[in-house]
């Protein structure tokens, strides 16, 4: 029986997130994790694997990914080429079956964590095409006639950035958790993991400024957890003081703003706010 996930030295898990992970493990249901980009969804799977002492198999989904690729792919082109060359391998179709990530997880000697990352990037039918395999933990290989069954039911973690709605039938089979953006106390703990020993005054000023930026009306892309960690790394590298970071969100662009603001619209927004603030002070 696997242990209980409570987070790791490298990953701060809130109580509700830990409860969700452990509930999914107990129920043997896929854990569907949603949240803003940069809130640690992908990293969660890696840390769950580390915490529970399991290997991790990662399947990163793209817009062109098909569900069948997670099972296996039959390389008919290579078989045809080998037949033309008189290769003996051609007589065994199994030589041309490439195992997908689900097959690797099913065939593992011990229980593993299977990450299906950014499931919402694929076609809308992609999640439904995996329903049977994730439910029964088996699938049929038509070319060889064999049925592949999971030796050990993997811990399945599925992430989504909410780019599109997922089918109801798929949602019913998952244990769902939405990672809320960390409050300032949780963010403080996260920062201390990644930047231990950071001066309290600098961190207070930086996080105050960061949350002011996130709450600025009209912002197209709010900066994420990963982006504030990058920003703090630059702040420490440049040895900026708390005074360098203070100011309201309408005063000017934040120092080293390229780490936080990732669209032209948002840079222009802060430039306009700064211009208006200067005009009001005249």
């Amino acid at each position: 029986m696997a242990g209980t996930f409570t987070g790791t030295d490298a990953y701060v898990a809130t109580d509700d997130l830990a409860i969700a992970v452990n509930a999914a493990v107990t129920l043997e249901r896929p854990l569907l994790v949603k949240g803003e980009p940069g809130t640690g969804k992908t990293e969660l799977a890696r840390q769950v694997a580390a915490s529970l002492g399991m290997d991790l198999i990662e399947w990163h989904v793209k817009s062109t990914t098909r569900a069948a690729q997670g099972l296996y792919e039959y390389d008919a082109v290579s078989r045809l080429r080998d037949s033309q060359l008189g290769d003996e391998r051609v007589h065994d179709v199994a030589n041309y079956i490439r195992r997908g990530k689900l097959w690797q997880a099913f065939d593992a000697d011990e229980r593993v964590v299977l990450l299906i990352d950014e499931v919402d990037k694929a076609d809308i039918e992609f999640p439904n095409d995996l329903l049977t395999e994730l439910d029964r933990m088996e699938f049929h290989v038509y070319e060889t006639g064999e049925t592949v069954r999971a030796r050990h039911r993997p811990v399945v973690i599925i992430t989504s950035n909410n780019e599109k709605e997922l089918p109801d039938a798929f949602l019913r089979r998952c244990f769902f958790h939405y990672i809320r953006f960390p409050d300032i106390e949780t963010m403080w703990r996260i920062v201390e993991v990644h930047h231990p020993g950071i001066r309290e005054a600098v961190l207070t000023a930086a996080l105050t400024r960061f949350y002011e930026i996130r709450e600025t009306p009209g912002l197209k892309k709010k900066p994420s957890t990963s982006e504030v960690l990058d920003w703090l790394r630059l702040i420490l590298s440049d040895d900026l003081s708390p005074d360098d970071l203070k100011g309201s969100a309408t005063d000017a662009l934040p120092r080293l703003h390229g780490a936080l603001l990732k669209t032209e619209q948002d840079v222009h927004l802060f430039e306009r706010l700064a211009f208006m603030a200067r005009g009001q002070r005249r």
Side-chain angles (χ1 to χ4, degrees):
M1 179 68 182
T4 300
F5 176 73
T6 57
T8 69
D9 292 341
Y11 190 92
V12 174
T14 57
D15 290 344
D16 58 341
L17 176 57
I19 289 170
V21 170
N22 293 315
V25 172
T26 300
L27 293 173
E28 297 187 329
R29 294 267 188 178
L31 173 63
L32 174 61
V33 184
K34 290 188 178 183
E36 291 181 32
T39 49
K41 300 185 297 297
T42 302
E43 187 61 25
L44 171 66
R46 296 169 183 153
Q47 297 301 326
V48 168
S51 174
L52 301 183
M54 299 179 187
D55 288 336
L56 173 67
I57 295 175
E58 301 186 32
W59 184 13
H60 299 284
V61 176
K62 301 178 181 178
S63 59
T64 56
T65 302
R66 295 176 292 106
Q69 292 173 309
L71 308 180
Y72 68 93
E73 291 184 277
Y74 169 52
D75 191 351
V77 174
S78 291
R79 193 181 188 197
L80 175 62
R81 182 194 64 222
D82 288 349
S83 69
Q84 294 169 339
L85 296 173
D87 194 318
E88 288 298 317
R89 296 174 70 251
V90 76
H91 299 297
D92 185 357
V93 69
N95 290 324
Y96 303 93
I97 301 292
R98 291 192 297 223
R99 298 183 177 192
K101 299 296 185 179
L102 264 73
W103 190 334
Q104 294 173 32
F106 287 5
D107 200 44
D109 291 332
E110 297 180 350
R111 196 178 189 191
V112 300
V113 174
L114 172 64
L115 167 65
I116 305 176
D117 198 29
E118 297 189 329
V119 68
D120 53 327
K121 277 189 174 180
D123 183 85
I124 189 63
E125 290 303 318
F126 178 90
N128 278 341
D129 289 344
L130 291 175
L131 288 180
T132 301
E133 290 76 16
L134 292 177
D135 256 358
R136 298 182 181 176
M137 285 288 146
E138 66 178 39
F139 62 90
H140 187 70
V141 183
Y142 295 98
E143 290 77 6
T144 64
E146 67 179 307
T147 297
V148 176
R149 295 184 177 86
R151 295 186 184 184
H152 309 277
R153 193 177 188 101
V155 175
V156 181
I157 297 179
I158 304 170
T159 73
S160 168
N161 286 328
N162 254 351
E163 291 184 9
K164 61 171 69 83
E165 288 296 318
L166 299 174
D168 288 346
F170 180 76
L171 295 175
R172 282 197 299 272
R173 288 165 169 81
C174 297
F175 191 95
F176 173 75
H177 183 74
Y178 184 86
I179 297 182
R180 295 180 178 84
F181 194 81
D183 58 28
I184 196 164
E185 292 181 2
T186 304
M187 185 65 79
W188 193 290
R189 292 165 55 203
I190 292 171
V191 170
E192 287 182 333
V193 167
H194 293 270
H195 300 293
I198 186 172
R199 284 187 296 149
E200 184 174 335
V202 170
L203 182 53
T204 299
L207 290 185
T208 300
R209 187 76 170 111
F210 172 72
Y211 280 94
E212 286 174 349
I213 292 166
R214 272 188 59 88
E215 293 165 8
T216 301
L219 200 63
K220 180 179 176 64
K221 181 190 178 303
K222 294 183 178 182
S224 68
T225 305
S226 62
E227 287 159 345
V228 73
L229 292 174
D230 287 344
W231 187 49
L232 284 165
R233 183 178 176 184
L234 293 173
I235 288 169
L236 293 173
S237 177
D238 286 7
D239 197 24
L240 298 183
S241 71
D243 289 338
D244 293 325
L245 304 171
K246 288 178 180 176
S248 69
T250 57
D251 280 343
L253 281 165
R255 297 287 291 270
L256 302 165
H257 65 270
L260 299 176
L261 305 177
K262 300 301 178 71
T263 70
E264 292 178 46
Q265 297 96 312
D266 289 343
V267 173
H268 291 159
L269 170 64
F270 276 84
E271 289 174 340
R272 289 196 301 272
L273 291 173
F275 178 77
M276 292 168 58
R278 287 194 296 270
Q280 291 173 358
R281 287 196 290 265
R282 289 175 183 170

